[in-house]
Amino acid sequence: MKLHVPIRLRWSDLDAYGHVNNAEMLRLLEEARIIAFWVNDDTGSTAVGASTAVLDGRPGAATLTLIGRQEIEYLAPIPYLRDPIDVRLWIGKLGGASLDVCYEVWSPAGNGEEKLYARANTTIVLVDAASERPRRINDVERAAWTPYLDAPIVFARR
Amino acid sequence: MKLHVPIRLRWSDLDAYGHVNNAEMLRLLEEARIIAFWVNDDTGSTAVGASTAVLDGRPGAATLTLIGRQEIEYLAPIPYLRDPIDVRLWIGKLGGASLDVCYEVWSPAGNGEEKLYARANTTIVLVDAASERPRRINDVERAAWTPYLDAPIVFARR
Amino acid sequence: MKLHVPIRLRWSDLDAYGHVNNAEMLRLLEEARIIAFWVNDDTGSTAVGASTAVLDGRPGAATLTLIGRQEIEYLAPIPYLRDPIDVRLWIGKLGGASLDVCYEVWSPAGNGEEKLYARANTTIVLVDAASERPRRINDVERAAWTPYLDAPIVFARR
Amino acid sequence: MKLHVPIRLRWSDLDAYGHVNNAEMLRLLEEARIIAFWVNDDTGSTAVGASTAVLDGRPGAATLTLIGRQEIEYLAPIPYLRDPIDVRLWIGKLGGASLDVCYEVWSPAGNGEEKLYARANTTIVLVDAASERPRRINDVERAAWTPYLDAPIVFARR
């Protein structure tokens, strides 16, 4: 099962080439990931919650989500678009204290012909904020995330 | 009359102090302004059009919108919020080739008590892309923008 | 007396118009200000210290520097430049718990004809991190900053 | 042979976790890459030129450098540092129309104990600006880049 997270571009995501910048792309994926996994914002509001959103993301929360690695293939440049792009997100691997989040970045949903802009993978490590050491994925998290476990991305350009 | 433009924060808008960064605030205003004034995105889609949106913002368009000055007062820090903040936007002055865009940045609409985070003013100059010189606001633009002409912001901290 | 802070641009400071973005300009000023006023980085290193640098900027420091207001006039667009731009910085006003930092943003030093790109002013408020309330400028700070007290910017376009 | 490119952090590279943001890291690599490969800035100045810098990066140049893929492993978080980090850069593969740029991101040079923060690889495709199609690496480029050809990164966490 894949989660569809609509992400709005900003004009400032473009660089001087007139396309969404390569580094900025990872910022869009970061936002999709935060919406998908964090249950709340700094105020505790759960406005955009998905069933995968079981981590407390507020300042001072017990768990930090650190990034261990990322890999991304850029398939087509993205221009400034007003309709939100369609980030499809699933879990390629559920480890002991880490998970691999997979993404496909698609053109805005419902706008005719679909275009795949990019494919990416992020390894997230759950870290205990107090000890600063990795901590195991717990049962609540595993139950929430298992339905989104699917085949990992096969990168074509390695 | 004021235009309400909902703008979603990204977690990356925060700086190491855990609040929306002072410079990033102007990026949020930039996006509100683009949504308010540009009729289309790079593909020509007019998905979020307001009646003020009469400028062609696509690459290669005949008019560039350059920024002449900005002024902003920060009234309260903004944490990470999932609901879009409510940017209220109007025109404080319509000149010959320039206009002053005024903004109030409010907490998300419909979430109980309203909070004013910031007030700002941007002077935009319309520039002819070919000659790179200011060009006069035309009749279509003036007609579209006049309903949003209102009292300019009185900055309290000058 | 003015402090000259060389600031290197990044290509990613440009937006799709091919010039340093208007919001990004404030980020460059932020970096100049941090170099000018913070005595150290997160590790305690004081590599780029100026005599004005008497604030501890490390995480957990006793004083936060919040931004109360900003004003900026953009006089000429800045292209991608490899030599660092020359940010000239002084204090336009020393208040009880706040100060006004003034800037002129000039083309790289020693490259022939000088060009003024922008003028700006930032009001900084010193805040006690524990109480989250403004705290008075102390004697050490006042002594360090007074030599850089000079006439505030007269903005031409207000 | 490896090229050492010193890159200054900005405080705004940190995110709310107080470390250089994961996406921002790719922006730092982008800047290192531009300094390494572009012979000039927008004005034609060649201030920071390396022998690898044989591409014209100015607006309107005949060649665009597009990014095909990126891979990065984050080994340790980077705090705010005043001394420039030491980005070591070499070429892991020279193809027909593309090259793999490899990076190691190290702590500031000459500050005692060295620390490796990250390892990364970027695939760059040379694109003819007029036809928007890949174009072959020419003899001048191949001669300039071959001395920096070295073993590609072996990513430990794939």
Side-chain angles (χ1 to χ4, degrees):
Chain A
M1 197 160 56
K2 292 178 184 177
L3 195 66
H4 289 244
V5 186
I7 296 286
R8 276 192 194 283
L9 299 182
R10 295 178 186 165
W11 186 73
S12 57
D13 295 334
L14 308 183
D15 62 23
Y17 278 0
H19 299 129
V20 173
N21 180 264
N22 69 85
E24 199 64 21
M25 276 290 289
L26 292 195
R27 220 175 265 285
L28 303 178
L29 299 185
E30 175 181 72
E31 196 58 26
R33 194 167 66 227
I34 284 172
I35 291 173
F37 290 102
W38 288 8
V39 71
N40 43 26
D41 63 20
D42 284 5
T43 67
S45 164
T46 58
V48 201
S51 67
T52 48
V54 291
L55 291 171
D56 185 350
R58 285 176 293 185
T63 299
L64 304 177
T65 48
L66 298 193
I67 308 303
R69 72 180 290 277
Q70 299 202 83
E71 185 167 358
I72 180 165
E73 282 181 4
Y74 304 91
L75 305 177
I78 310 183
Y80 179 57
L81 299 170
R82 292 213 153 175
D83 289 318
I85 56 172
D86 176 22
V87 179
R88 300 179 193 169
L89 188 152
W90 70 99
I91 296 172
K93 185 175 148 195
L94 261 179
S98 71
L99 61 161
D100 273 19
V101 180
C102 297
Y103 324 76
E104 287 173 350
V105 180
W106 288 87
S107 52
N111 276 18
E113 192 192 3
E114 293 189 322
K115 187 166 191 173
L116 180 59
Y117 293 127
R119 273 192 282 258
N121 183 96
T122 302
T123 303
I124 296 179
V125 183
L126 300 189
V127 170
D128 180 79
S131 69
E132 297 189 345
R133 301 190 62 83
R135 65 107 171 127
R136 293 191 67 78
I137 295 175
N138 65 34
D139 291 349
V140 171
E141 292 157 358
R142 202 167 290 272
W145 297 341
T146 298
Y148 290 88
L149 194 54
D150 210 328
I153 289 174
V154 179
F155 286 99
R157 296 178 177 173
R158 268 194 190 173
Chain B
M1 198 158 59
K2 293 178 183 176
L3 195 66
H4 288 244
V5 185
I7 296 286
R8 276 191 193 283
L9 300 182
R10 295 179 186 164
W11 186 74
S12 56
D13 295 334
L14 309 182
D15 62 23
Y17 277 1
H19 299 130
V20 173
N21 180 263
N22 69 85
E24 200 63 23
M25 277 290 289
L26 292 195
R27 218 176 267 285
L28 302 178
L29 300 185
E30 175 181 72
E31 196 58 26
R33 194 166 66 228
I34 284 173
I35 291 173
F37 289 103
W38 288 7
V39 71
N40 43 26
D41 63 20
D42 285 6
T43 66
S45 165
T46 59
V48 201
S51 68
T52 48
V54 291
L55 292 171
D56 185 350
R58 285 176 293 185
T63 299
L64 305 177
T65 49
L66 298 193
I67 307 303
R69 72 179 289 277
Q70 298 202 84
E71 185 167 359
I72 180 166
E73 282 181 4
Y74 304 91
L75 306 178
I78 310 183
Y80 179 56
L81 300 169
R82 292 211 153 175
D83 289 318
I85 56 173
D86 176 23
V87 179
R88 301 180 192 168
L89 188 151
W90 71 97
I91 295 171
K93 185 176 149 195
L94 260 180
S98 71
L99 62 161
D100 274 19
V101 180
C102 297
Y103 325 76
E104 286 174 350
V105 180
W106 288 87
S107 52
N111 277 17
E113 193 192 2
E114 293 189 323
K115 186 165 191 173
L116 180 58
Y117 293 126
R119 274 191 281 259
N121 183 96
T122 302
T123 303
I124 296 179
V125 183
L126 300 189
V127 170
D128 180 81
S131 70
E132 297 189 347
R133 301 190 62 82
R135 66 107 170 128
R136 294 191 65 77
I137 295 173
N138 65 34
D139 291 350
V140 170
E141 292 157 358
R142 203 166 290 273
W145 297 340
T146 298
Y148 290 89
L149 195 54
D150 211 327
I153 289 174
V154 179
F155 287 98
R157 298 178 175 173
R158 266 192 192 175
Chain C
M1 198 158 59
K2 291 177 183 176
L3 194 67
H4 288 245
V5 186
I7 296 286
R8 276 192 194 282
L9 300 182
R10 295 179 187 164
W11 186 73
S12 58
D13 295 333
L14 310 181
D15 63 23
Y17 277 1
H19 299 130
V20 173
N21 181 263
N22 70 85
E24 200 64 22
M25 277 290 289
L26 292 195
R27 219 175 266 285
L28 302 178
L29 300 185
E30 175 181 72
E31 195 57 26
R33 194 166 66 229
I34 284 172
I35 290 173
F37 289 103
W38 287 7
V39 72
N40 43 26
D41 63 20
D42 284 6
T43 65
S45 164
T46 58
V48 200
S51 68
T52 47
V54 291
L55 291 171
D56 185 351
R58 285 176 293 184
T63 299
L64 305 176
T65 48
L66 298 193
I67 306 304
R69 72 179 290 277
Q70 298 202 82
E71 185 167 0
I72 180 167
E73 282 181 3
Y74 304 91
L75 306 178
I78 309 183
Y80 179 57
L81 300 170
R82 292 213 154 177
D83 289 318
I85 55 172
D86 176 23
V87 179
R88 301 179 193 168
L89 188 150
W90 71 99
I91 296 171
K93 186 176 149 194
L94 261 179
S98 71
L99 62 161
D100 272 19
V101 181
C102 296
Y103 324 76
E104 287 174 349
V105 181
W106 288 88
S107 52
N111 277 15
E113 193 191 3
E114 294 189 322
K115 187 166 191 173
L116 180 59
Y117 293 127
R119 274 191 280 260
N121 183 96
T122 303
T123 303
I124 296 179
V125 183
L126 300 190
V127 170
D128 180 80
S131 69
E132 297 189 348
R133 300 190 64 83
R135 65 106 171 130
R136 294 191 65 78
I137 295 174
N138 64 35
D139 291 348
V140 171
E141 292 157 359
R142 202 167 292 271
W145 298 340
T146 298
Y148 291 88
L149 194 55
D150 210 329
I153 289 174
V154 179
F155 287 99
R157 299 179 176 173
R158 269 193 189 174
Chain D
M1 197 159 57
K2 292 177 183 178
L3 195 66
H4 288 245
V5 186
I7 296 286
R8 277 192 192 284
L9 299 182
R10 295 179 186 165
W11 187 74
S12 57
D13 294 334
L14 309 182
D15 62 24
Y17 278 1
H19 299 131
V20 172
N21 180 263
N22 70 84
E24 200 63 22
M25 277 290 289
L26 292 195
R27 219 176 265 286
L28 302 178
L29 300 185
E30 175 181 73
E31 196 58 26
R33 193 166 66 227
I34 283 172
I35 290 173
F37 289 104
W38 287 7
V39 72
N40 43 25
D41 64 19
D42 285 5
T43 66
S45 164
T46 58
V48 201
S51 68
T52 48
V54 291
L55 291 171
D56 186 351
R58 285 176 291 185
T63 299
L64 304 176
T65 47
L66 298 192
I67 307 303
R69 72 180 289 278
Q70 298 202 83
E71 185 168 0
I72 180 166
E73 282 182 2
Y74 304 91
L75 306 177
I78 310 184
Y80 179 55
L81 300 170
R82 291 212 154 177
D83 290 318
I85 57 173
D86 176 24
V87 179
R88 301 179 193 169
L89 188 150
W90 70 99
I91 296 172
K93 185 176 149 193
L94 262 180
S98 71
L99 62 160
D100 273 18
V101 181
C102 298
Y103 325 76
E104 287 174 350
V105 181
W106 288 87
S107 52
N111 276 18
E113 193 192 4
E114 293 190 322
K115 188 167 189 172
L116 180 59
Y117 293 127
R119 274 191 280 259
N121 182 96
T122 303
T123 303
I124 297 179
V125 183
L126 300 190
V127 170
D128 180 80
S131 70
E132 296 188 347
R133 301 189 63 82
R135 65 106 170 129
R136 294 191 65 78
I137 294 174
N138 65 35
D139 292 348
V140 171
E141 292 157 358
R142 202 167 290 271
W145 297 340
T146 299
Y148 291 88
L149 195 54
D150 210 327
I153 289 174
V154 178
F155 287 99
R157 298 179 174 172
R158 268 193 189 174

